[in-house]
Amino acid sequence: MHTFRTLVLVAALGSGACAQDAGTLAGATRALGATDLKSIEFSGNGKWFQFGQAPSPVLPWPAFDVSAYTASVNYETPAARVQMTRIQVVEPGRARPAPVQQRPVQVVSGTNAWNLAPPPGAAPDAAPVPQPQVEAVEERTMEIWATPHGFLKAATANNATSEPVNGGGSDVSFTLDGKHKYTGRINAQNQVERVQTTIDNTVLGDTPVEITYSDYRDFGGVQFPSRIVRTQGGYPVLDITVSSVTANPAVDIAVPETVRAYTAPAVNVEMEKLADGVFYVKGGSHHSIAIDQRDHIVVVEAPQSEARSAAVIAKVKETIPNKPIKYLVNSHVHFDHSGGLRTYVDEGATIVTHALNRPYYEKAWAAPRTLNPDRLARSGKAPAFETFTDKHVLTDGRRSIEIYPIAGNGHNDAFVMVYLPAEKILAEVDAYAPPAGNAPPPATPSPFAVNLYENIQKLKLDVRQIAALHGPRVATLNDLRAFIGQRAATD
Ligand SMILES: [Zn+2]
């Protein structure tokens, strides 16, 4: 008898439009119709921001105007596709190449992620093909379970715990995949107001993600926020005003065979000798320079990831045996050029970087690294820095390595190039990348490359080889002149 009465009471709470469960997981699940929602599509416009590519270590991620944004989510697969049309906003006073409209298509299905884009090297209007994005699975999966309905579904399925908050509502928490903790605020109106979680990043470690949902409206029978703001690593990455929502659309996302069959190749490292004791360390999209000093090695640039750094370090030590890597020179803070720095800290190298970057790295590297502990997280070594704001020289008493800020370059405010005066070699990245083959120079010269050339002229550097840390080959100063529409010089 007693058991029967309890069951009746539970049933009444679960199904009725009752005030008792307002602000709870059950209340929001019922009010937003999360149980019956198998898929959703929402569209709008606003801003997107390029995570990890701030123009200075003290500025937010740079903004793009988004004229069209559509996210299609299938909660059952689970799978999602995000399409947008965006173009970079050029900040007042910052010279950038003329922005080009981009139309990325980003997809995840289960444990596969891919983009749809023209093949690498093809014309921008070539037919898009699936391009595997193994490293994007974590973020895109998060995007599914951090939507309002996805959050409620995942919370219900993963034994969420709840804590009431003052003024009504509750904070609901659960853990996915045994490691990603989600916390969401459900307000007294049964709306998911905010979702917080973390994802892994090579520079920032456990990177905080916070998505704020506001101005809920009825979109043809489904309650959905009309504004979505997402921050990642402390700054906005998305700010969308939602204009339409469809409940339970067909979202059929098949994993392409080329994506399913893809396995990431091993990191490739190739050494090209530029001069005695100076090596161009290539083999991927991002290169480094290794310099054999009297009793140590200097490496310029630690791009991408620990995997790349580990492979580069192994190859450099094989080529230049029995010497420690004493210095790692960092060109700038963009994450594709700083993602491998921590491996060199663990290796015992001093990080040589513009003074503006040091506090950024110190703060970033102090963050927890529970999602994907790297070598430095395990060793706990303290980073050593050598910083500068003007010309800086590393020397072993024989060979000088000169480091110069690339002054006034719109790409980044704490941006350096490396010059070897004896060998007349310049190493730089993201100011100039020589085009492949006989590709013509851009119709409008890149202000980044023009500024690089002006810096070389102002500093009176006698450059014979430009070892660009992106691009297919070593270039000459005449190549750079041609690239910016200047006549060749006979020097
Ligand atoms: Zn950059």
Side-chain angles (χ1 to χ4, degrees):
M1 194 61 189
H2 177 78
T3 306
F4 178 69
R5 283 168 57 95
T6 308
L7 282 174
V8 170
L9 183 64
V10 169
L13 280 171
S15 64
C18 44
Q20 290 96 320
D21 68 358
T24 65
L25 174 57
T29 297
R30 179 175 42 72
L32 297 189
T35 305
D36 295 329
L37 194 84
K38 312 295 186 202
S39 62
I40 197 164
E41 186 166 282
F42 55 96
S43 300
N45 60 62
K47 289 260 193 309
W48 175 88
F49 305 81
Q50 196 176 14
F51 178 71
Q53 298 288 322
S56 147
V58 296
L59 288 173
W61 316 130
F64 286 59
D65 277 324
V66 176
S67 56
Y69 177 97
T70 298
S72 313
V73 183
N74 183 327
Y75 292 114
E76 298 199 302
T77 318
R81 176 175 52 237
V82 172
Q83 300 170 265
M84 70 180 105
T85 303
R86 69 187 181 207
I87 188 162
Q88 183 154 29
V89 177
V90 178
E91 308 91 324
R94 185 171 293 281
R96 290 187 181 275
V100 175
Q101 190 185 75
Q102 305 168 353
R103 304 193 67 182
V105 181
Q106 304 177 332
V107 195
V108 63
S109 179
T111 55
N112 291 286
W114 64 100
N115 291 351
L116 289 173
D125 58 351
V129 297
Q131 295 173 8
Q133 301 285 315
V134 176
E135 69 292 344
V137 173
E138 182 192 36
E139 181 175 17
R140 295 180 190 178
T141 302
M142 176 276 292
E143 290 176 337
I144 295 174
W145 301 121
T147 56
H149 295 86
F151 177 81
L152 297 171
K153 285 173 172 290
T156 303
N158 289 278
N159 304 311
T161 58
S162 294
E163 280 192 32
V165 295
N166 283 339
S170 47
D171 282 337
V172 173
S173 300
F174 61 91
T175 301
L176 270 189
D177 319 319
K179 63 177 184 177
H180 292 98
K181 188 182 178 194
Y182 287 70
T183 299
R185 167 72 52 89
I186 294 171
N187 64 22
Q189 290 75 49
N190 281 329
Q191 297 162 343
V192 179
E193 198 172 270
R194 180 177 75 220
V195 174
Q196 295 167 303
T197 186
T198 52
I199 57 172
D200 176 49
N201 177 264
T202 53
V203 176
L204 300 179
D206 295 359
T207 304
V209 178
E210 179 169 320
I211 309 177
T212 308
Y213 299 109
S214 58
D215 304 332
Y216 272 78
R217 277 175 38 205
D218 185 305
F219 288 91
V222 61
Q223 292 288 323
F224 202 77
S226 52
R227 179 117 186 267
I228 300 174
V229 177
R230 172 172 154 202
T231 66
Q232 201 158 304
Y235 293 112
V237 291
L238 192 67
D239 184 341
I240 293 294
T241 299
V242 176
S243 51
S244 72
V245 181
T246 307
N248 292 316
V251 179
D252 299 318
I253 297 173
V255 180
E257 197 42 50
T258 51
V259 172
R260 197 183 293 281
Y262 178 80
T263 48
V267 178
N268 181 39
V269 181
E270 291 162 15
M271 303 288 273
E272 181 182 331
K273 187 175 170 181
L274 298 178
D276 278 347
V278 182
F279 300 89
Y280 199 16
V281 189
K282 302 175 70 181
S285 59
H286 292 62
H287 319 319
S288 300
I289 302 286
I291 305 163
D292 181 3
Q293 296 291 69
R294 194 201 302 257
D295 60 356
H296 64 271
I297 302 166
V298 175
V299 175
V300 179
E301 205 72 330
Q304 298 183 304
S305 64
E306 177 142 288
R308 174 114 208 125
S309 284
V312 167
I313 289 169
K315 190 77 170 182
V316 165
K317 287 176 141 183
E318 177 193 313
T319 309
I320 309 170
N322 304 317
K323 291 183 186 178
I325 300 173
K326 190 172 176 186
Y327 297 107
L328 185 290
V329 183
N330 163 237
S331 68
H332 64 307
V333 78
H334 286 175
F335 287 6
D336 59 324
H337 295 280
S338 58
L341 283 173
R342 285 171 54 92
T343 317
Y344 285 86
V345 175
D346 184 65
E347 184 69 22
T350 293
I351 304 301
V352 182
T353 190
H354 193 287
L356 268 180
N357 296 326
R358 177 178 175 162
Y360 187 86
Y361 291 136
E362 284 180 326
K363 183 168 179 233
W365 296 348
R369 292 202 175 234
T370 63
L371 294 171
N372 185 18
D374 59 6
R375 291 182 185 187
L376 188 59
R378 293 191 291 270
S379 74
K381 286 183 190 168
F385 289 94
E386 193 166 303
T387 65
F388 53 86
T389 56
D390 209 336
K391 179 183 177 181
H392 186 75
V393 180
L394 300 175
T395 179
D396 63 354
R398 294 189 301 206
R399 188 196 332 260
S400 287
I401 301 170
E402 300 178 355
I403 306 166
Y404 294 95
I406 310 178
N409 197 292
H411 187 71
N412 198 273
D413 297 343
F415 191 31
V416 307
M417 57 186 176
V418 173
Y419 178 63
L420 304 179
E423 296 82 4
K424 305 185 194 308
I425 294 170
L426 182 81
E428 61 76 35
V429 75
D430 287 357
Y432 165 57
N438 296 319
T444 309
S446 158
F448 297 166
V450 171
N451 167 274
L452 173 69
Y453 185 69
E454 288 168 357
N455 272 278
I456 292 168
Q457 296 298 103
K458 188 178 65 191
L459 295 164
K460 299 185 164 49
L461 305 183
D462 183 6
V463 175
R464 297 300 162 95
Q465 296 185 82
I466 300 176
L469 303 184
H470 281 308
R473 60 185 169 86
V474 176
T476 65
L477 200 57
N478 273 339
D479 290 331
L480 173 58
R481 288 188 182 106
F483 190 79
I484 61 172
Q486 292 212 9
R487 207 170 300 141
T490 50
D491 51 355

